[in-house]
């Protein structure tokens, strides 16, 4: 029986060298390589949904895979797909890294530059282990069969442009349409989601920061289930504790949320540190909220350039959302698109703070009237981004165009 091998390699040169060697191995059946961590997890999940037998026996992970670091990715594969053997390909073959790789769940390590003999021995041993595990476990292999959820980050070009309002309404729209949704406050020092939603909860994202194995039970203990059904993971009440949330912790937290919720919306605020940068890097969709004024648009351009310099996100992979838009303003979305070099959402959020003021002051933003033009625009944005579940057979022009649960509130 041929051994199916799935390479996870982001570097083009490394892809060629690894796939060439794998194709030369006896009884090897290399499949099309995946280029990043998200594609690897989604591919394995899709195969597992059909049958555990469809999973490859061996996954080869290159050390420079991204955006999730190689060891973190190996841990996720080992936890979610226990019958798949993982081999780490690395230039560091030190005993320390070897031990770390084993601790994270790898079944073998191959040093760079690649040796045919070493790779053949490792692949054969790991494939035999995988076959043995499947034979022993039979049909009882427990894997998460759903494709990972969609992660959306919402960042601000500067403070006060409506980042938190946007994140909350996107999450509420997704939840109301029937998708399981988590809303995360990664504005670690000044996060206001709890205030906007009238929530008092003692746990926060900090409680997950030091945990290396975030199980479903641990995750459930850390989130707060809001009246709307949305799961909230809040910023710490003491802003100085935000420093405890590292980029590594965020990667684990986002991966855990992605495996349990269909939609994960993350409020990153306007100040991007290591934690927020990791979230933006992992996101399927990265939104940058700006208002149509010179200062905010300059801030958006500065943020986009910084993300590009730090290799967090390319400009063309970022979507700008224009908030407080009016037809009479001199700066219109097409000009913002030209200045920032990003995509701009088709839906612009109109300026109408008067209809927001009552629910904002009361901390009940989830009770914003459905007739509100701001709410309709934000929920329309959720539809544009594919965050809501469309109504089958919905008529054109029939309102927001997705399933809506009964509004919660007076």
């Amino acid at each position: 029986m041929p051994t199916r091998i799935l390479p996870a390699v982001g570097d083009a040169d490394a892809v060629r060298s690894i796939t060439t060697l794998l194709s030369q191995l006896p009884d090897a059946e290399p499949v099309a390589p995946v280029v990043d961590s998200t594609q690897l997890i989604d591919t394995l999940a899709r195969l597992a949904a059909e049958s555990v037998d469809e999973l490859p026996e061996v996954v080869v992970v290159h050390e420079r895979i991204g955006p999730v670091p190689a060891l973190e990715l190996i841990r996720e594969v080992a936890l979610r797909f226990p019958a798949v053997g993982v081999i780490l390909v690395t230039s560091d073959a030190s005993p320390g890294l070897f031990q770390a790789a084993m601790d994270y769940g790898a079944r073998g390590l191959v040093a760079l530059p690649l040796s045919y003999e070493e790779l053949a021995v490792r692949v054969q041993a790991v494939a035999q282990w995988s076959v043995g595990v499947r034979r022993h476990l039979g049909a009882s292999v427990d894997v998460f069969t759903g494709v990972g959820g969609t992660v959306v980050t919402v960042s601000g070009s500067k403070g006060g442009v409506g980042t938190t309002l946007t994140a909350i309404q996107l999450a509420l729209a997704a939840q109301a349409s029937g998708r399981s949704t988590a809303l995360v406050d990664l504005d670690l020092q000044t996060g206001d989601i709890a205030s906007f939603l009238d929530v008092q909860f003692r746990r926060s994202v900090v409680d997950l920061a030091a945990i290396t194995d975030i199980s479903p039970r641990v995750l459930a203990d850390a989130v707060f289930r809001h009246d709307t059904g949305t799961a909230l993971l809040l910023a710490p009440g003491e802003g100085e504790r935000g420093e405890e949330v590292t980029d590594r912790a965020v990667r684990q937290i986002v991966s855990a949320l992605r495996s349990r919720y269909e939609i994960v919306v993350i409020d990153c605020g306007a100040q991007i540190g290591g934690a927020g940068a990791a979230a933006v890097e992992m996101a399927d969709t990265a939104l940058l909220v700006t208002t149509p004024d010179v200062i905010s648009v300059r801030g958006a351009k500065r943020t986009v350039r910084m993300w590009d310099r730090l290799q967090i996100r390319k400009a063309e992979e970022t979507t700008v959302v224009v908030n407080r838009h009016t037809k009479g303003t001199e700066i219109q979305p097409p000009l913002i698109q030209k200045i920032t070099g990003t995509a701009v959402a088709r839906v612009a959020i109109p300026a109408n703070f008067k209809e927001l003021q009552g629910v904002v002051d009361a901390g009940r933003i989830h009770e914003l009237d459905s007739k509100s033009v701001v709410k309709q625009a934000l929920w329309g944005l959720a539809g544009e981004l594919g965050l809501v579940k469309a109504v089958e057979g919905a008529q054109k022009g029939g309102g927001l165009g997705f399933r809506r649960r009964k509004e919660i509130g007076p």
Side-chain angles (χ1 to χ4, degrees), residues 40-63:
L40 173 60
I41 295 300
D42 287 352
T43 298
L44 293 176
R46 186 176 63 253
L47 293 172
E50 298 175 16
S51 169
V52 172
D53 292 334
E54 295 298 319
L55 289 167
E57 285 77 23
V58 180
V59 169
V60 177
V61 174
H62 191 272
E63 63 179 354

Side-chain angles (χ1 to χ4, degrees), residues 121-353:
V121 169
R122 283 291 99 216
V123 167
Q124 183 180 17
V126 173
Q128 289 176 349
W129 171 87
S130 176
V131 171
V133 168
R134 297 179 194 204
R135 186 182 301 118
H136 176 71
L137 296 178
S140 64
V141 178
D142 184 21
V143 297
F144 172 74
T145 57
V147 174
T150 298
V151 176
V152 178
T153 55
V154 186
S155 307
S157 62
K158 69 179 189 65
V161 296
T163 307
T164 299
L165 174 66
T166 301
I168 290 174
Q169 290 297 332
L170 291 178
L172 293 178
Q175 181 69 39
S177 76
R179 296 189 183 275
S180 60
T181 305
L183 174 60
V184 185
D185 198 342
L186 271 189
D187 188 357
L188 296 171
Q189 292 187 333
T190 57
D192 280 327
I193 285 179
S195 298
F196 271 86
L197 294 175
D198 192 25
V199 169
Q200 293 182 347
F201 187 57
R202 63 186 181 85
R203 295 195 180 276
S204 74
V205 66
V206 172
D207 293 292
L208 296 177
I211 299 175
T212 57
D213 184 7
I214 303 176
S215 66
R217 175 68 179 274
V218 169
L219 187 63
D221 288 342
V223 301
F224 175 83
R225 182 70 61 178
H226 190 257
D227 292 344
T228 58
T230 308
L232 306 179
L233 185 56
L234 303 171
E238 305 82 14
E240 66 275 12
R241 295 201 65 193
E243 296 180 358
E244 299 174 32
V245 184
T246 64
D247 55 343
R248 178 178 175 180
V250 167
R251 293 183 191 282
Q252 293 187 70
I253 292 167
V254 172
S255 294
L257 289 166
R258 173 179 250 148
S259 70
R260 299 296 162 186
Y261 296 93
E262 294 178 81
I263 305 294
V264 180
V265 180
I266 304 175
D267 178 3
C268 294
Q271 299 294 326
I272 299 291
V280 172
E281 189 178 40
M282 293 180 71
D284 299 290
T285 301
L287 302 180
L288 183 59
V289 181
T290 186
T291 49
D293 58 82
V294 172
I295 302 301
S296 295
V297 174
R298 282 180 178 171
K301 181 179 180 180
R302 185 168 57 246
T303 298
V304 169
R305 287 183 171 180
M306 178 182 69
W307 287 358
D308 188 51
R309 287 195 306 272
L310 298 178
Q311 298 182 342
I312 296 170
R313 198 95 185 177
K314 294 180 181 178
E316 57 268 26
E317 297 173 345
T318 302
T319 301
V320 166
V321 175
V322 181
N323 189 26
R324 300 178 197 146
H325 173 261
T326 60
K327 293 182 178 179
T329 186
E330 197 170 320
I331 301 177
Q332 292 292 322
L335 178 58
I336 295 174
Q337 182 173 13
K338 183 177 180 180
I339 291 172
T340 60
T342 66
V344 173
R346 294 192 303 274
V347 175
I349 315 306
N352 197 335
F353 183 73

